[in-house]
Amino acid sequence: RHLRIIPSDMTFSGNGECLSARGSSLPGLIHHQCNQTDEKQLLSPAEIPSDIWALHVKADERSHDFHKAYSSYCGTSGALTNLDFGQIFVGDANHITTKCKFAPLVNFGSFVDTEIVRDKTSSNWPNWYKMLADNPVECESGEALTAFKLDSGKQKYKFECSKIGGLGSCFDYYSAQVEVPHFHEAKAYWEKPMRMLQANCGENSVLGGFHFEFSEGGRWQRIRYKCCKAGGAPVTMDPRGQVPDLVSPFDGVFCPNQLDA
């Protein structure tokens, strides 16, 4: 059906403007002069919520995200979808792959301290693998990670989980299993393996937490992490009455008063 845009002055002179699909491979909507013969203007009401979501994603430029050595923050209406361990734990600011994606943030959370201790001025990191394994980062149901950083004053890592509207099902995933030459505090042993670890939830999910796992006997490390679907918030179309100018004189409920001749 045609979806006509209601003018701000509520007048409907001429053909007016109607919503139109952008194309088979392009999400979202645009508006053109109403044309009954334009197939792109024949929209299914069931597809409107996903099209509106696509407009929000397109309008979201993620200009307020902040990624630097040892820290990542998502700006307003965003949550982490990829966490780069090389950036966060090694302090590599040259090849950052940490990303945030648009998510309808309902309420910012508060930072929570972990017991992961790190002195970034030292090349040694005692018991790094045990601290990471003993301190899983977990968000509550309906929440996702929106920040992870090293508090240099406390020399501890902390994280922030925030409430996300319309968050879907969550699933556990595993990163690639990375070989560790020796579980030792010297940076030469843990720097390269740490750079190879990423918790990547892809385009349509956000990060709900992660847990570092390792095997001293097998000499490997990996991440088990949780991704929650965030490809669109629930949207309803709530009728709020009729616009008289759009109602045909032939629409309505009629009762017969006599039989035809």
Side-chain angles (χ1 to χ4, degrees):
R1 66 183 64 180
H2 280 83
L3 294 177
R4 192 172 181 182
I5 299 175
I6 300 177
S8 58
D9 59 2
M10 299 297 287
T11 60
F12 294 89
S13 59
N15 291 334
E17 295 279 320
C18 288
L19 293 179
S20 173
R22 289 167 55 85
S24 58
S25 61
L26 298 173
L29 298 167
I30 53 179
H31 58 87
H32 289 299
Q33 186 176 10
C34 294
N35 183 351
Q36 297 283 345
T37 62
D38 186 353
E39 292 185 357
K40 290 183 179 180
Q41 293 186 17
L42 296 175
L43 304 175
S44 169
E47 296 176 358
I48 298 302
S50 60
D51 287 328
I52 292 175
W53 175 264
L55 290 175
H56 282 294
V57 173
K58 187 176 185 300
D60 180 64
E61 298 177 351
R62 304 260 32 95
S63 58
H64 300 292
D65 299 337
F66 183 62
H67 306 295
K68 65 174 185 177
Y70 305 105
S71 299
S72 273
Y73 306 82
C74 294
T76 56
S77 299
L80 287 165
T81 185
N82 185 28
L83 189 64
D84 179 355
F85 273 47
Q87 169 215 349
I88 295 297
F89 295 109
V90 179
D92 183 2
N94 296 320
H95 304 92
I96 295 175
T97 59
T98 297
K99 293 181 181 178
C100 302
K101 76 174 296 292
F102 172 76
L105 196 147
V106 176
N107 186 34
F108 275 111
S110 301
F111 275 97
V112 177
D113 287 339
T114 71
E115 293 304 318
I116 304 173
V117 179
R118 176 83 165 92
D119 180 3
K120 66 180 182 181
T121 63
S122 173
S123 61
N124 291 335
W125 192 7
N127 297 318
W128 58 273
Y129 51 97
K130 292 181 179 179
M131 283 191 294
L132 289 172
D134 291 342
N135 290 274
V137 174
E138 297 178 344
C139 295
E140 298 291 335
S141 176
E143 295 182 344
L145 275 172
T146 48
F148 196 90
K149 69 173 185 176
L150 174 63
D151 186 327
S152 299
K154 294 183 178 180
Q155 295 188 345
K156 284 186 177 182
Y157 281 95
K158 55 175 58 179
F159 65 93
E160 178 191 67
C161 292
S162 300
K163 197 75 172 177
I164 307 296
L167 208 58
S169 301
C170 300
F171 302 92
D172 284 343
Y173 296 89
Y174 290 90
S175 70
Q177 193 165 287
V178 177
E179 182 180 352
V180 181
H182 185 53
F183 287 92
H184 190 272
E185 66 179 33
K187 190 174 184 178
Y189 293 102
W190 55 263
E191 179 182 16
K192 185 176 179 180
M194 195 67 71
R195 291 179 186 272
M196 300 172 69
L197 288 180
Q198 287 194 40
N200 189 353
C201 290
E203 292 295 325
N204 295 315
S205 297
V206 290
L207 188 60
F210 64 86
H211 187 194
F212 179 86
E213 299 178 344
F214 71 95
S215 170
E216 287 187 89
R219 294 196 301 180
W220 56 260
Q221 65 180 16
R222 68 182 181 188
I223 317 165
R224 175 168 55 86
Y225 57 98
K226 180 173 68 174
C227 296
C228 301
K229 296 294 182 182
V235 177
T236 61
M237 300 182 70
D238 185 15
R240 293 299 179 92
Q242 294 180 330
V243 178
D245 289 350
L246 298 181
V247 178
S248 167
F250 300 102
D251 292 336
V253 179
F254 300 91
C255 295
N257 57 15
Q258 64 182 16
L259 294 174
D260 288 341

